[in-house]
Amino acid sequence: MIHGLTTASLALLDRLSQTAQKHPRRITAAIAALLLTGGGGAFAVASLGPDASELPTKTVSYPVESLAENLALESLDAPGFSLYRSEQTRSSDTAESLLQRMGVADPAAAAFLRSDNAVRQNLLGRAGRLISAETTDDHRLVRLTARWAPDDSGTFRRLVVERQDERFSSRIETAPLTKGTRLAGGVIRSSLFAATDAANIPDGVAVQVAEIFSGNIDFHRSLRKEDRFAVVYETLEADGEPLRSGRVLSTEFRNNGKTHQAVWFQETDASKGAYYTLEGESMRRAYLASPVEFSRVTSGFKMRLHPILQTWRAHLGTDYAAPTGTAVRTVGDGVVEFAGVQNGFGNVIFVKHRNQHVTVYAHLSRIDVKNGQSVSQGQTVGAVGSTGWATGPHLHFEFRINGQHQDPQTIAQQSEAAAPVSASARAAFDRLASAMRIQLSSAELIQQASAQ
């Protein structure tokens, strides 16, 4: 019986071998299907094995050479780098204090700055000059550069102190200033200058804004908390760094719920530019609001206790506190009627304008005009002082109509405006005004982002 089973088995294997030779692909597919079908069973069997955490473990360790001890790495030099810093010079600067503030630790550089004539004459003790330093990673000086604009020629000076091997040299270069544009805005919390300081706006720009809107806004008495302003102004740049501020190009001021806007426009290259509303109306009036650039009013047009006579009497003018020597300008076109010394006024100037209007500038430290001389609006006629009956340096300013004293600020705000933009220049002005509207909107967004 066993012999028979063996014979049958051999015959079956022989037939399977022949079939595999004739149909190899079918046999391969059948084996794959069997393996896939039996996968579940395989997993089931695997799950019955021992827990891996109970299996024995063995620690194998091999020695590894430290990279820090690699002689090839030790032979490589660490890459050096440069350090940069910018500052402004101070009147109290010495070679040592300046370098210390710039992060420079280099006795040889300090000795050179002390001994070099160009550095002593143009850098040390000169306040407000833009200075930058390049140093090595161990704080030795590589290059020191100072920039300043000595005048209004449109150029700036560049003083360069440079290391060459272990020695220093200096040179002075002249290069043209380039014009840039800045956008800024602010919110009034206490005063205009406090708001512009908070927004990093130069004082020169703040003064221009006050001058532009002086016929519409009394910046001494009419500002309200939460008043807002935006401004687009020129910067004069040296090597990409702003060196000073230029002209205000456009500005907007929201005072007590009312919006005032202005844009600078020059009709032709030969004509004199001026400020206009964005609708083309002139911002220039027959009289300036103040005979000095925006300043603090110490005594207005009202009754007061006279500081010298100690009696109550009418103060028939406006007093402007300012340092001795501050320029005094005429508020309108006219002719000098009197320039000299007169009683309690001390050094005084009377300017006669049209329509029997007369302005008075008193307590001057100097007089820059003569009797009968023609003067134009904004022209300097003298300087603030304390001559005559004055307790300190200030300008006493009066406005008279037919011999009667009037409030100067009221007269300025009520005076007539100059001519609007001409018809021939209207198209160019409208294009400029449209561009400035966009920039003022951007400045307001900057203001809002800063506030947040």
Side-chain angles (χ1 to χ4, degrees):
M1 181 177 179
I2 294 173
H3 178 71
L5 290 173
T6 302
T7 303
S9 297
L10 291 173
L12 177 61
L13 290 174
D14 183 58
R15 293 181 62 183
L16 290 173
S17 175
Q18 294 177 5
T19 302
Q21 292 176 2
K22 293 180 179 180
H23 309 285
R25 293 184 179 180
R26 293 182 181 180
I27 297 301
T28 303
I31 294 172
L34 178 63
L35 290 174
L36 291 173
T37 305
F43 281 114
V45 173
S47 64
L48 297 177
D51 189 348
S53 63
E54 298 177 355
L55 294 176
T57 60
K58 182 179 180 181
T59 302
V60 180
S61 61
Y62 295 94
V64 177
E65 184 179 0
S66 172
L67 293 177
E69 297 176 358
N70 193 317
L71 296 179
L73 290 177
E74 287 181 354
S75 63
L76 295 177
D77 293 331
F81 55 89
S82 297
L83 300 173
Y84 299 87
R85 183 162 181 173
S86 296
E87 279 279 354
Q88 279 197 339
T89 58
R90 302 172 185 174
S91 59
S92 59
D93 275 336
T94 62
E96 287 76 9
S97 65
L98 178 61
L99 291 179
Q100 183 179 14
R101 201 166 70 253
M102 301 291 292
V104 179
D106 192 335
F112 178 81
L113 295 186
R114 286 195 305 270
S115 62
D116 187 72
N117 287 332
V119 173
R120 290 203 311 268
Q121 294 175 8
N122 297 284
L123 187 60
L124 300 182
R126 304 279 186 170
R129 297 194 170 178
L130 187 65
I131 185 168
S132 58
E134 177 188 351
T135 69
T136 61
D137 52 3
D138 60 351
H139 304 286
R140 293 187 304 137
L141 183 65
V142 176
R143 184 180 296 105
L144 189 75
T145 307
R147 304 172 183 87
W148 71 95
D151 49 41
D152 296 327
S153 63
T155 63
F156 73 96
R157 300 285 179 84
R158 183 193 297 118
L159 169 64
V160 181
V161 175
E162 200 165 21
R163 180 189 292 272
Q164 297 173 339
D165 296 327
E166 293 304 316
R167 302 182 63 184
F168 288 95
S169 64
S170 70
R171 64 182 184 273
I172 295 180
E173 304 166 341
T174 301
L177 288 165
T178 58
K179 289 185 179 180
T181 303
R182 292 291 175 97
L183 287 71
V187 181
I188 301 296
R189 305 298 184 193
S190 58
S191 69
L192 176 62
F193 282 111
T196 53
D197 286 346
N200 294 320
I201 298 174
D203 286 350
V205 173
V207 169
Q208 290 183 66
V209 170
E211 292 286 315
I212 292 168
F213 294 124
S214 61
N216 306 97
I217 304 171
D218 184 347
F219 281 88
H220 300 292
R221 297 177 291 193
S222 299
L223 290 187
R224 299 289 185 271
K225 193 174 182 180
E226 301 302 324
D227 282 354
R228 295 176 179 270
F229 63 90
V231 61
V232 180
Y233 63 95
E234 288 179 337
T235 56
L236 301 178
E237 299 178 352
D239 299 332
E241 294 289 339
L243 203 58
R244 61 167 61 167
S245 60
R247 177 183 287 118
V248 169
L249 300 177
S250 64
T251 180
E252 177 181 278
F253 209 107
R254 298 180 185 177
N255 169 239
N256 200 21
K258 187 175 182 180
T259 300
H260 305 274
Q261 295 175 319
V263 59
W264 172 263
F265 180 66
Q266 189 174 1
E267 292 197 3
T268 65
D269 293 338
S271 63
K272 187 177 181 181
Y275 288 99
Y276 298 85
T277 68
L278 295 187
E279 289 71 39
E281 298 297 324
S282 177
M283 299 289 292
R284 183 178 182 270
R285 296 184 176 271
Y287 298 110
L288 299 175
S290 171
V292 292
E293 286 189 341
F294 183 60
S295 180
R296 178 172 56 90
V297 174
T298 55
S299 182
F301 187 82
K302 61 183 179 180
M303 293 293 293
R304 66 164 184 174
L305 180 66
H306 195 279
I308 294 178
L309 301 178
Q310 294 299 306
T311 59
W312 283 95
R313 58 194 303 175
H315 187 232
L316 303 178
T318 303
D319 288 352
Y320 295 88
T324 298
T326 300
V328 174
R329 59 192 181 178
T330 177
V331 297
D333 299 340
V335 177
V336 176
E337 191 175 49
F338 177 83
V341 180
Q342 190 180 96
N343 299 328
F345 281 151
N347 292 332
V348 64
I349 298 170
F350 288 74
V351 177
K352 187 175 182 179
H353 312 277
R354 62 189 181 88
N355 299 329
Q356 299 301 311
H357 294 183
V358 175
T359 51
V360 181
Y361 313 80
H363 306 312
L364 303 175
S365 61
R366 73 168 192 270
I367 295 175
D368 296 336
V369 291
K370 299 178 180 179
N371 292 340
Q373 179 179 337
S374 295
V375 291
S376 57
Q377 186 182 70
Q379 180 178 336
T380 298
V381 293
V384 171
S386 54
T387 58
W389 294 353
T391 56
H394 72 282
L395 173 70
H396 174 78
F397 175 64
E398 293 183 6
F399 202 109
R400 303 176 183 179
I401 300 179
N402 293 321
Q404 300 296 315
H405 294 83
Q406 305 291 331
D407 187 341
Q409 293 183 342
T410 300
I411 295 297
Q413 292 178 3
Q414 293 177 352
S415 61
E416 65 273 17
V421 174
S422 66
S424 60
R426 188 71 201 202
F429 175 82
D430 288 342
R431 290 192 297 269
L432 175 65
S434 178
M436 286 304 170
R437 281 190 177 95
I438 296 173
Q439 292 195 6
L440 287 173
S441 297
S442 300
E444 186 174 2
L445 292 176
I446 293 174
Q447 163 199 323
Q448 294 174 356
S450 300
Q452 293 173 356

